[in-house]
Amino acid sequence: MKVEIGHVCGHRVTADIVGTDVRGERGRTAAWLAEQPCPECRRDARERKRAEETEAAAAKARGCGWPPLAGTEKQVAWAERIRAEAITAMEGRITARVGEERGRAAVASWTAVALRQTEAAWWIDNRDVAVRAVNSTLTPTELDELKGLMG
């Protein structure tokens, strides 16, 4: 059933609400949709948020002197966010485990290993397991060094 929905953003969109209406499901769905921004405004907000996150990750990379990533513009933007999130996550894990004072050297050591990965595609391919993927690239010497730094 096609219904015109007036969204909270002020836009009006025709929605096709399907399914049974035995218990007023269509009416509840239409009311819920009216409480949400329209699809175009949701997409714009998502894109703005992604652009802000990308700029923050790029600024962190520049500020920390991280090497640039290789790939297409879209790949690099996405991979910079992934890399920044992974390094921040590991920083938090190490600091929580050994404290900020003792953790500085361990964080620097782990970050140096992470920064060897300069292909945007590598970060994208490992986005769900980035910390574990970096850990798998540690050499035995680097692993022993990290263990020593973390006590």
Side-chain angles (χ1 to χ4, degrees):
M1 169 172 110
K2 295 207 184 279
V3 178
E4 184 151 331
I5 306 290
H7 292 276
V8 294
C9 58
H11 294 117
R12 298 192 71 71
V13 176
T14 301
D16 190 13
I17 302 175
V18 296
T20 64
D21 199 24
V22 176
R23 294 184 182 89
E25 294 93 340
R26 290 181 187 172
R28 282 195 305 275
T29 300
W32 178 82
L33 285 170
E35 295 171 359
Q36 309 301 315
C38 72
E40 187 176 326
C41 288
R42 281 196 314 267
R43 184 176 39 255
D44 290 347
R46 199 171 42 246
E47 287 174 2
R48 275 193 307 278
K49 182 180 179 210
R50 190 174 294 139
E52 289 169 5
E53 291 170 348
T54 298
E55 182 50 43
K60 182 172 184 171
R62 285 190 304 272
C64 294
W66 295 349
L69 295 172
T72 67
E73 187 176 330
K74 283 178 109 175
Q75 285 176 324
V76 168
W78 188 13
E80 279 184 336
R81 288 195 315 269
I82 296 166
R83 179 173 68 174
E85 288 169 7
I87 291 173
T88 301
M90 193 58 173
E91 210 171 284
R93 288 181 191 176
I94 291 171
T95 302
R97 183 167 176 198
V98 298
E100 193 170 333
E101 189 71 29
R102 284 185 52 208
R104 280 193 191 110
V107 167
S109 179
W110 189 88
T111 300
V113 173
L115 295 178
R116 288 195 305 235
Q117 303 300 333
T118 58
E119 290 294 323
W122 186 91
W123 288 99
I124 293 167
D125 291 345
N126 292 289
R127 66 187 170 275
D128 295 327
V129 291
V131 169
R132 197 172 323 151
V134 170
N135 288 343
S136 71
T137 66
L138 287 166
T139 65
T141 305
E142 292 166 336
L143 186 57
D144 290 341
E145 178 189 345
L146 265 176
K147 285 179 182 177
L149 291 170
M150 293 178 62

